Amino acid sequence: MFYKGSVLNLIDIHSHILPGVDDGSADMKESLNMARKAVEVGITHIFATPHHLNEEYVNVKSNIIDRVVSLNESLKQSNIPLTIHLGQEVRIHRDIFTSLEKEEILTLDDNGTYLMLELPAGNVPAYTQEVIYELLLKGITPIIVHPERNKELIANHKLLFELVQEGALTQLTSGSIIGLFGKNIKVFSKRIIEHNLAHFIATDAHNIGSRGFSLQAAYETITKLYGIERTFFFKENAELLIQGQSPSVDRPLQIKKKFLGIF
Ligand SMILES: [Fe+2]
């Protein structure tokens, strides 16, 4: 652990800050406003992760790269001290490997090692474990975004454990931890952290309003609940990503405790 005695950057690995590409920022003006808000709460680096293949939006790698370059230029011109990194939020899909072959898929920082993978909100497709396995074989580790908001995982905790056991990492949304998505999702988020099934916290920010940059607030909650070491664990993992190093992974534990009487 290199964090001891050092100050970690506040890094957000999931956001919809890129203008005009999905249900996040509508235009450059809104992106710059989002950037100002992020800087206000201490964020220094943000991965732009537009939706891809989620039935509504298609954002291929080359388009994202061009737009990230342009957003970084605008940030510089506006004297906003924030760096935007390359990313993409890819909906799990049978065609994901075709998209990969066509070079439409963008890993974090385009370094071919970590991919933000989204499950549908209501279920976990039967081919999920196969897709994770195939990605891992290609040297790409999927980071499952907001598993705490997936209805099937909420009902079947063993399945999340199995996905992490298989080698997937996960990212919880900061808003889930502070209760913005309701009590069930907040409680499930805590269970996920307590069983070493979470590896990153990120905002999934879409705007400066209800889905903004609550990263610091989530870390404060985590520190209160689990101590500063747990917050460092998550902060350091994000830092390791931008340094091209492997994040820390604690041994995953099965969630055995009953969850709100669901089973
Ligand atoms: Fe997202």
Side-chain angles (χ1 to χ4, degrees):
M1 296 279 173
F2 64 75
Y3 60 74
K4 295 212 166 56
S6 67
V7 177
L8 290 168
N9 288 307
L10 203 54
I11 299 160
D12 188 6
I13 70 164
H14 184 168
S15 81
H16 297 270
I17 193 170
L18 221 50
V21 293
D22 59 14
D23 55 345
S25 166
D27 49 33
M28 187 57 85
K29 191 178 165 207
E30 188 175 0
S31 296
L32 294 178
N33 282 336
M34 285 176 75
R36 286 188 190 95
K37 279 280 172 196
V39 169
E40 255 175 51
V41 298
I43 294 171
T44 53
H45 300 73
I46 292 183
F47 284 84
T49 52
H51 290 292
H52 181 54
L53 294 176
N54 77 339
E55 291 164 9
E56 245 186 291
Y57 302 105
V58 172
N59 282 298
V60 299
K61 174 175 170 171
S62 53
N63 281 350
I64 297 172
I65 292 176
D66 290 347
R67 285 165 193 267
V68 166
V69 169
S70 133
L71 179 54
N72 272 323
E73 279 169 6
S74 296
L75 288 168
K76 215 171 176 183
Q77 281 162 13
S78 307
N79 290 318
I80 301 173
L82 184 71
T83 306
I84 307 298
H85 291 250
L86 297 171
Q88 185 185 45
E89 180 177 6
V90 183
R91 173 69 64 89
I92 196 161
H93 200 283
R94 282 195 183 279
D95 286 343
I96 194 171
F97 294 101
T98 313
S99 200
L100 197 62
E101 273 166 30
K102 289 185 347 205
E103 300 214 1
E104 294 172 352
I105 298 289
L106 181 56
T107 52
L108 293 182
D109 272 335
D110 195 21
N111 63 13
T113 45
Y114 294 95
L115 176 72
M116 302 297 269
L117 187 67
E118 184 192 36
L119 300 171
N123 69 306
V124 177
Y127 53 84
T128 298
Q129 282 170 304
E130 198 183 317
V131 166
I132 290 172
Y133 179 76
E134 293 291 333
L135 284 170
L136 289 167
L137 276 187
K138 290 179 185 298
I140 300 171
T141 300
I143 300 174
I144 298 171
V145 304
H146 42 67
E148 78 281 7
R149 289 166 52 202
N150 178 281
K151 288 197 177 79
E152 188 170 340
L153 293 177
I154 290 172
N156 180 1
H157 295 169
K158 195 168 171 248
L159 183 52
L160 179 60
F161 168 77
E162 285 170 359
L163 300 180
V164 174
Q165 179 96 321
E166 189 184 352
L169 301 180
T170 78
Q171 167 257 307
L172 299 181
T173 297
S174 52
S176 301
I177 292 161
I178 59 172
L180 293 184
F181 297 100
K183 192 182 167 188
N184 285 8
I185 288 174
K186 184 178 177 180
V187 171
F188 188 33
S189 301
K190 284 162 67 179
R191 296 291 165 270
I192 293 174
I193 293 174
E194 288 159 8
H195 292 80
N196 299 336
L197 299 172
H199 309 91
F200 302 96
I201 311 295
T203 67
D204 193 8
H206 280 65
N207 49 51
I208 54 168
S210 59
R211 298 196 62 188
F213 295 96
S214 52
L215 193 57
Q216 190 57 36
Y219 281 142
E220 281 166 17
T221 301
I222 291 169
T223 300
K224 261 185 223 155
L225 290 168
Y226 307 112
I228 193 76
E229 293 282 314
R230 183 54 45 167
T231 292
F232 275 140
F233 169 87
F234 290 123
K235 280 190 177 177
E236 187 189 52
N237 270 353
E239 181 109 29
L240 287 165
L241 270 192
I242 60 172
Q243 290 176 2
Q245 297 181 50
S246 303
S248 303
V249 177
D250 287 340
R251 190 172 67 85
L253 305 170
Q254 277 214 54
I255 304 177
K256 289 194 178 125
K257 210 162 143 186
K258 273 193 183 178
F259 173 66
L260 301 178
I262 283 170
F263 59 91

